[in-house]
Amino acid sequence: MKTEYVTINERSPDMNALHYAGQIIKEGGLVAFPTETVYGLGADALNEKAAAKIYEAKGRPSDNPLIVHIANMADLSRIVRKVPESALVLSEELWPGPLTMIFEKKEIVPDATTGGLSTVAVRFPSNRIAQLLIRESGGFIAAPSANRSGRPSPTLAEHCREDLDGRVDMIIDGGPVGIGVESTIIDMTAKRPELLRPGFVTMEMLERLLDGIDRDPSLDRTGMPDELSPAPAPRAPGMKYRHYAPRGEMVLVDGDHEAAKEYISGCINEEKKKGKKTAVICADEDRERFGADIVLSYGRRNDYECLARNLFTLLRTCDEKGADVIFAETVPGNGLGDALMNRMRKAAGYRIVNV
Ligand code: TXA
Ligand code: MG
């Protein structure tokens, strides 16, 4: 298949191009498009065959359900059975935005979209290109992140090209995304809402808006599961798969900042002696400190929004430059740090050293 490319400016979107992209989706095709979190790979969520194509293009296991994107509050009740009061509160405060809520689904949503589950995940994105495309496509776009399964999520159209050229009908380039980590996912079907995936909408923000909120216990596991301590199965099926992983081996170093830098420098020397190509992901202020083959900075120290925007690009850069080992310090796990550590721990395959 030949992939078509189109560039659309979020501030003055080309409606002809969006109408054309919407037609592709209406006819059962696949279009990669920007959202405020990461790029999504869209298909008509109510078309069984179209949704099934997503799994093939991504190489994604078919038991891993997709998020349905809407661009109109009134459309929510067309696909879900019941909207609890707490979900209305969240939608009023946080939609459109980087929050996904899970509801009991209506018949109209096919099994291919929900991986056979009786529930459906729904998000109303704030990116204007995404909203216009959803409206042009009939109102319901199923979209996972537009990466090949297992690769870091795409934050630039270029990443979609790397992973999906020739496998999808169209890629819309809407520039770099604003947030860089995927949406927060919360299950609204349980008695108490439960956080399944941390994102830009933080636990602290949700606690302020809700009467109470649980947290999927699998989020707080610290190591790889083994026979003695099997991990609880994550409630969002996708969270069980190896994710975000660069090809090199990533190691996170946790502890006092000076001690961590010391430790990383020592490791870099060791690995270099073994002939390994070393990389470090660090703050601007620490760039000069490391003698790694590849030194990548994410922005100023403690600017976690900047780290969120850059994290997946930096992991891809490590691959491009052929890093064998990648070192990074952990970040504090509160606020946006919850989502960052979640993605970094997965990228590192839970290799964390305490110094
Ligand atoms: O920010 C985002 O959410 C991006 C953009 C494109 O909107 N999308 C995204 O989709 O990250 P994806 O497919 O990469 O991640 C969706 C996650 C998966 O872990 C999946 O298992 C979970 O949502 N999920 C979807 N439907 C679910 C359901 N009914 N119950 C539990 N988990 C669900
Ligand atoms: Mg994904």
Side-chain angles (χ1 to χ4, degrees):
M1 163 190 317
K2 183 155 169 45
T3 302
E4 285 188 71
Y5 288 85
V6 49
T7 298
I8 296 183
N9 182 334
E10 193 180 357
R11 285 203 201 94
S12 58
D14 173 348
M15 282 314 295
N16 286 331
L18 280 165
H19 178 74
Y20 177 63
Q23 271 322 108
I24 294 178
I25 290 184
K26 275 186 172 165
E27 285 164 17
L30 300 182
V31 177
F33 64 98
T35 83
E36 67 278 22
T37 56
V38 299
Y39 274 74
L41 174 57
D44 181 352
L46 306 185
N47 175 339
E48 178 109 49
K49 282 206 186 106
K53 278 192 199 166
I54 288 180
Y55 294 93
E56 202 188 312
K58 273 185 66 101
R60 174 174 172 133
S62 63
D63 66 344
N64 188 3
L66 307 172
I67 295 174
V68 178
H69 296 68
I70 59 172
N72 208 326
M73 228 2 233
D75 285 339
L76 181 61
S77 56
R78 287 184 55 202
I79 53 170
V80 314
R81 282 187 194 284
K82 190 173 95 199
V83 181
E85 186 56 39
S86 50
L88 284 177
V89 172
L90 294 186
S91 70
E92 253 173 46
E93 295 289 330
L94 300 167
W95 272 1
L99 176 74
T100 296
M101 289 191 272
I102 293 171
F103 302 96
E104 297 296 338
K105 80 172 184 82
K106 278 189 175 164
E107 209 56 25
I108 186 176
V109 186
D111 278 349
T113 297
T114 63
L117 296 177
S118 62
T119 54
V120 61
V122 187
R123 176 158 113 78
F124 185 163
S126 61
N127 180 289
R128 193 148 163 245
I129 298 170
Q131 290 181 358
L132 294 168
L133 178 67
I134 294 164
R135 291 183 192 132
E136 290 292 332
S137 310
F140 304 95
I141 294 188
S145 47
N147 50 289
R148 287 297 293 269
S149 208
R151 294 267 288 150
S153 292
T155 54
L156 294 170
E158 175 59 20
H159 300 157
C160 303
R161 193 192 59 74
E162 283 168 20
D163 282 16
L164 298 172
D165 184 57
R167 309 178 71 87
V168 302
D169 297 286
M170 179 183 262
I171 295 176
I172 297 178
D173 185 348
V177 299
I179 292 178
V181 290
E182 308 88 340
S183 62
T184 303
I185 304 182
I186 177 164
D187 183 358
M188 305 308 292
T189 65
K191 272 205 203 83
R192 262 155 72 103
E194 182 178 6
L195 181 78
L196 304 190
R197 179 173 76 181
F200 193 77
V201 170
T202 62
M203 192 72 180
E204 290 84 347
M205 286 156 83
L206 293 167
E207 275 164 350
R208 271 197 298 278
L209 295 169
L210 294 169
D211 254 346
I213 172 171
D214 292 329
R215 198 176 154 83
D216 180 352
S218 77
L219 291 176
D220 297 309
R221 78 182 219 217
T222 47
M224 271 311 236
D226 56 39
E227 273 166 36
L228 292 176
S229 56
R235 302 260 342 279
M239 301 289 276
K240 74 173 180 262
Y241 295 107
R242 189 174 143 89
H243 251 83
Y244 318 113
R247 295 188 188 100
E249 183 167 292
M250 184 165 172
V251 179
L252 294 178
V253 181
D254 187 53
D256 168 73
H257 177 51
E258 278 309 315
K261 285 200 289 192
E262 197 72 24
Y263 178 82
I264 291 175
S265 296
C267 291
I268 289 170
N269 291 337
E270 286 299 306
E271 295 292 336
K272 276 184 154 177
K273 273 189 219 145
K274 289 189 232 158
K276 296 280 170 76
K277 193 157 187 187
T278 57
V280 60
I281 295 177
C282 63
D284 285 345
E285 291 89 330
D286 298 329
R287 278 195 72 91
E288 306 304 322
R289 176 69 190 265
F290 297 108
D293 300 300
I294 307 155
V295 180
L296 302 171
S297 61
Y298 63 80
R300 297 196 61 78
R301 164 174 304 289
N302 301 334
D303 185 345
Y304 297 128
E305 292 196 8
C306 199
L307 175 55
R309 276 196 301 277
N310 290 318
L311 179 63
F312 291 138
T313 303
L314 295 177
L315 295 178
R316 280 176 183 258
T317 306
C318 288
D319 281 352
E320 266 160 40
K321 295 192 185 278
D324 297 310
V325 277
I326 306 158
F327 296 96
E329 275 186 66
T330 57
V331 299
N334 58 322
L336 182 56
D338 191 12
L340 287 169
M341 277 309 295
N342 175 272
R343 308 312 191 265
M344 284 166 64
R345 265 191 240 120
K346 283 169 174 249
Y350 296 89
R351 273 181 296 268
I352 305 175
V353 178
N354 295 295
V355 293

